[in-house]
Amino acid sequence: MELRADAARNRAAIVEAARTVFAEQGLDAPLDDIARLAGTGNATLYRRFPTRGDLIEAVFAERMVEELDAVEAALANPDPWDGFASYVTAVGAMQTRDRGIADLVTMDVTRAPEIEAVRARAFKGLVKLIARARTAGVLRDDFTTQDVVLLLMANAGLVERTHGISEQASARLLHVLLDGLRATAATDGPVAPGAPDTEEAMRRNSEHRLGASTRKTKGSKSTKGSKEPVCPQTSPASTAKTSTRSASEKDN
């Protein structure tokens, strides 16, 4: 159903304001700040986007294509290590530029099917990227997709806490971590958490940011019959080796 012109303007203003506020404050930013920046009332925001997740999907469905682009560019690089490192660096830079993305890439997004579809495609490329680098003997042999999640969680925490120096701090962190991921630097040590535990951590991140459980309830349907893992960045296969509203406002 096509929105009226004024309703469409309000929706566009809310999405643009949310893009700015989420980038600056993260996904748990107050929705009041978004409504204020958009120049709309809170009731208008909630009418257009009944849940925070609806708003996040509207803001980031297209933006998350950047992660897919980073994977595809990495695979196009003929050098296995340079390709892998370019992906890590690119996604880390995405997190630095936008705290909303910093949060989003560490969360379960099964309730946002458009974002999940993009992430699933990116994940398939990431599996190939990791396998290529490991086969070439340049990436430590025990590296899994769970390690990617851990790396992005670490960078997200750094971005949140290094006000004013996040770009430089993130670049330094990723450089040091990448040095440690080279096969020549590997030593025996703890394995990465398993896929189920990592997925649970991502679910809890979602619950914290969105304020609602992302667990499937009894009788609920999976998203469009997808057979992808609930958090595609944590495929079980990759771990085989390592074990309120204001009623007074008028509809706009």
Side-chain angles (χ1 to χ4, degrees):
M1 181 177 177
E2 188 173 346
L3 295 173
R4 299 195 319 263
D6 57 341
R9 283 194 298 272
N10 282 339
R11 185 185 190 283
I14 291 168
V15 170
E16 186 59 33
R19 185 174 290 117
T20 298
V21 173
F22 286 151
E24 294 174 351
Q25 301 183 38
L27 296 183
D28 53 359
L31 296 183
D32 289 354
D33 289 359
I34 294 172
R36 188 179 305 112
L37 183 60
T40 67
N42 287 0
T44 299
L45 186 153
Y46 291 126
R47 238 183 330 269
R48 299 280 75 85
F49 303 99
T51 70
R52 184 181 293 264
D54 294 330
L55 181 55
I56 288 170
E57 185 166 24
V59 171
F60 291 102
E62 293 184 5
R63 291 290 311 281
M64 290 306 294
V65 173
E66 290 182 40
E67 183 181 8
L68 177 60
D69 291 343
V71 172
E72 292 179 344
L75 286 170
N77 189 322
D79 185 283
W81 175 259
D82 288 347
F84 171 76
S86 73
Y87 166 79
V88 172
T89 302
V91 178
M94 287 171 56
Q95 290 182 292
T96 303
R97 292 192 299 269
D98 191 323
R99 278 188 55 190
I101 289 180
D103 292 337
L104 196 61
V105 296
T106 69
M107 289 168 48
D108 166 37
V109 293
T110 53
R111 295 298 179 93
E114 290 187 42
I115 296 176
E116 183 186 26
V118 174
R119 178 179 283 182
R121 292 174 59 195
F123 170 75
K124 290 177 181 178
L126 178 60
V127 170
K128 294 178 182 177
L129 191 65
I130 292 172
R132 184 179 70 160
R134 287 173 53 175
T135 300
V138 293
L139 178 63
R140 56 184 303 145
D141 191 55
D142 61 350
F143 189 85
T144 72
T145 53
Q146 282 73 256
D147 290 307
V148 175
V149 178
L150 298 180
L151 187 153
L152 296 179
M153 285 180 173
N155 196 51
L158 179 142
V159 168
E160 183 178 355
R161 289 165 174 77
T162 51
H163 306 287
I165 60 169
S166 59
E167 183 175 352
Q168 181 180 1
S170 174
R172 173 62 180 174
L173 173 68
L174 296 179
H175 176 78
V176 171
L177 290 176
L178 283 168
D179 275 354
L181 293 179
R182 291 181 181 272
T184 54
T187 60
D188 291 336
V191 299
D197 290 337
T198 307
E199 289 178 0
E200 180 62 20
M202 295 177 79
R203 287 192 188 97
R204 291 190 178 191
N205 280 344
S206 297
E207 291 170 11
H208 171 69
R209 301 295 179 184
L210 306 182
S213 175
T214 59
R215 290 181 181 275
K216 290 186 176 74
T217 56
K218 186 177 181 180
S220 65
K221 297 180 180 179
S222 60
T223 305
K224 297 185 180 180
S226 172
K227 295 183 180 179
E228 294 294 336
V230 291
C231 300
Q233 284 169 311
T234 60
S235 164
S238 69
T239 61
K241 287 190 176 186
T242 57
S243 15
T244 289
R245 305 182 188 180
S246 172
S248 63
E249 288 197 28
K250 295 183 180 179
D251 188 359
N252 286 315

